[in-house]
Amino acid sequence: MSNDIEVSVRSSNAYSLAMEAIRLMELHGVWPTPLNYEIWLYVAGDPNSALAQEIHRLIGSGEKITEEISESLASKFISRLKLNDEVRDAGLRLTRELASVSEVINEAQKAQKDYNETLEGARSSFDGDSDAQRLRQLVGRLTDATSQILSQHAHFEVRLSESSREVARLRKHLDQVRLEAMTDALTNLANRKSFDEALERHCDSDEGKNITLAVLDIDHFKRFNDTWGHQTGDQVLRYVASVLSRIGRAPRMAARYGGEEFAMIFPNETIASVERLLNEARQEIASRVLKRRSTNEDLGTITISVGIAERDYGEDAYDLLDRADKALYQSKNGGRNMVTCAASALKAIDAA
């Protein structure tokens, strides 16, 4: 589908498709940002797609298509469409390369068979005739056949080497496509899809027994965006992301969960150690004075609120995230710029 859109925006239908996307955005009160424009191009290009159906469902239920919702839709649908197209195209090229390899092998087998038949014929001639002239002719034929098979083998080796390099290149390309599809373009952190899959994976395996989850939110970000504009808001997002990226190296994971919200996974780390680490990060973020790049104006203090939850034995990803999220709201309601640890659900049940 994404290839169809890319073809359409370079065809005679480009302007009508663009106008329809803008008409739909205006109809539903959606700002024509680059991200929204890309989303609505897909909707205009394929009104029956899963993306279009989800947007119509949201609008039908009274939801306003906010920046956060747009980012969630793009992460869920557009990255997957692009990944599927890239994988499909690379798969077709890989199929062609494998067919080429198969053809080379078949040709080599046929050449070897012909060579064996030549040798067998020569052996029979040797057995039946010892005339010197005929022997010279047989030796000549064997020499020619040997030269031919050596030449063919050299040709086959070149073709196989080329195919091997192409297969390696395609594999590297696929790895890069997968990485891009799982990465947030603005912050270079993992995106929501990547985070959700990682959290599910941890909670479905033995690894998940001791993981600690954190959700983080930039305080008053909407007011900040309204005051300074989206470009400066992006500057703040990248700054916070850079701090989280530094402390979120593997086996930890840092992700942009949507809008101004981030999430982190800490495998095999206790809630106490994660609390100390994120308090240090919170203080570092608040201590730096950011300036607006275009005017060098002081942007004021940037603060974050954090909620942390340590996984209870057997707890699924949804419940763990829900407890961390509730801890985040306690930080928000408690005055912001703070870290709150969620109480264990199992301990609360035992206490009751």
Side-chain angles (χ1 to χ4, degrees):
M1 173 60 199
S2 66
N3 277 348
D4 295 340
I5 293 295
E6 290 170 10
V7 170
S8 296
V9 297
R10 292 171 176 80
S11 69
S12 58
N13 296 327
Y15 292 106
S16 60
L17 184 65
M19 290 173 65
E20 176 62 9
I22 292 172
R23 185 190 71 80
L24 289 171
M25 283 190 285
E26 185 175 10
L27 176 66
H28 297 296
V30 178
W31 291 109
T33 64
L35 176 62
N36 284 334
Y37 181 67
E38 182 178 13
I39 289 172
W40 288 87
L41 269 180
Y42 280 96
V43 175
D46 187 0
N48 297 316
S49 66
L51 170 60
Q53 291 175 10
E54 176 63 11
I55 286 179
H56 293 321
R57 185 192 68 77
L58 290 169
I59 292 173
S61 64
E63 286 275 5
K64 183 175 175 61
I65 307 300
T66 62
E67 183 179 357
E68 289 76 15
I69 288 177
S70 291
E71 288 174 345
S72 177
L73 289 169
S75 174
K76 183 176 181 181
F77 292 99
I78 294 180
S79 294
R80 187 181 305 161
L81 286 168
K82 289 181 175 178
L83 177 61
N84 288 343
D85 283 342
E86 290 277 6
V87 169
R88 182 191 62 195
D89 292 345
L92 289 173
R93 292 196 295 272
L94 189 57
T95 299
R96 287 196 294 269
E97 285 303 319
L98 292 177
S100 175
V101 171
S102 178
E103 181 184 347
V104 170
I105 292 172
N106 289 335
E107 290 178 3
Q109 289 173 339
K110 183 179 182 301
Q112 189 64 50
K113 181 182 177 182
D114 292 343
Y115 184 59
N116 289 339
E117 289 176 353
T118 300
L119 292 178
E120 180 60 28
R123 187 188 67 78
S124 300
S125 297
F126 275 126
D127 290 343
D129 195 340
S130 59
D131 178 79
Q133 180 61 29
R134 288 183 57 79
L135 287 177
R136 282 194 293 271
Q137 291 174 351
L138 285 172
V139 170
R141 288 207 303 271
L142 287 175
T143 302
D144 291 343
T146 301
S147 297
Q148 184 178 6
I149 197 70
L150 290 173
S151 176
Q152 288 173 331
H153 280 173
H155 173 66
F156 296 151
E157 286 177 4
V158 170
R159 290 181 60 184
L160 285 172
S161 177
E162 290 173 349
S163 293
S164 296
R165 285 196 297 271
E166 179 63 11
V167 168
R169 189 192 68 78
L170 288 171
R171 185 180 293 114
K172 183 177 180 181
H173 175 63
L174 280 174
D175 289 342
Q176 181 63 30
V177 168
R178 291 191 185 98
L179 178 63
E180 290 175 357
M182 305 297 272
T183 302
D184 176 67
L186 177 65
T187 63
N188 283 326
L189 296 179
N191 62 19
R192 180 169 181 169
K193 174 180 172 60
S194 179
F195 173 83
D196 286 342
E197 290 182 0
L199 185 60
E200 288 282 354
R201 192 164 56 248
H202 278 292
C203 290
D204 287 345
S205 70
D206 290 339
E207 295 177 58
K209 288 182 180 178
N210 299 319
I211 70 167
T212 296
L213 172 68
V215 288
L216 312 89
D217 194 89
I218 301 176
D219 297 325
H220 302 299
F221 186 75
K222 184 178 185 305
R223 187 172 68 192
F224 185 93
N225 244 2
D226 292 342
T227 302
W228 298 101
H230 287 285
Q231 286 189 332
T232 304
D234 289 349
Q235 178 186 340
V236 172
L237 287 169
R238 282 191 289 265
Y239 166 60
V240 173
S242 70
V243 176
L244 301 184
S245 176
R246 191 173 66 251
I247 64 174
R249 295 190 179 97
R252 298 168 178 169
M253 181 183 197
R256 185 184 179 198
Y257 202 65
E260 70 273 24
E261 191 170 358
F262 299 85
M264 299 187 72
I265 297 172
F266 297 86
N268 301 313
E269 296 187 57
T270 65
I271 195 168
S273 64
V274 172
E275 181 185 15
R276 285 194 298 272
L277 180 69
L278 290 180
N279 262 317
E280 291 172 2
R282 177 185 60 80
Q283 292 163 5
E284 178 185 347
I285 290 170
S287 67
R288 180 169 173 180
V289 177
L290 295 184
K291 294 185 179 294
R292 194 180 189 189
R293 286 177 180 171
S294 57
T295 62
N296 209 35
E297 293 172 87
D298 191 340
L299 299 178
T301 301
I302 307 300
T303 64
I304 60 170
S305 296
V306 185
I308 310 175
E310 186 173 3
R311 183 180 183 245
D312 289 326
Y313 183 82
E315 187 174 27
D316 64 22
Y318 178 86
D319 289 338
L320 176 60
L321 184 59
D322 184 60
R323 287 199 298 118
D325 217 31
K326 287 176 180 175
L328 169 63
Y329 280 101
Q330 288 180 30
S331 290
K332 291 284 191 183
N333 294 331
R336 294 182 168 83
N337 190 24
M338 60 189 299
V339 177
T340 300
C341 296
S344 166
L346 292 181
K347 290 180 180 177
I349 292 173
D350 291 342

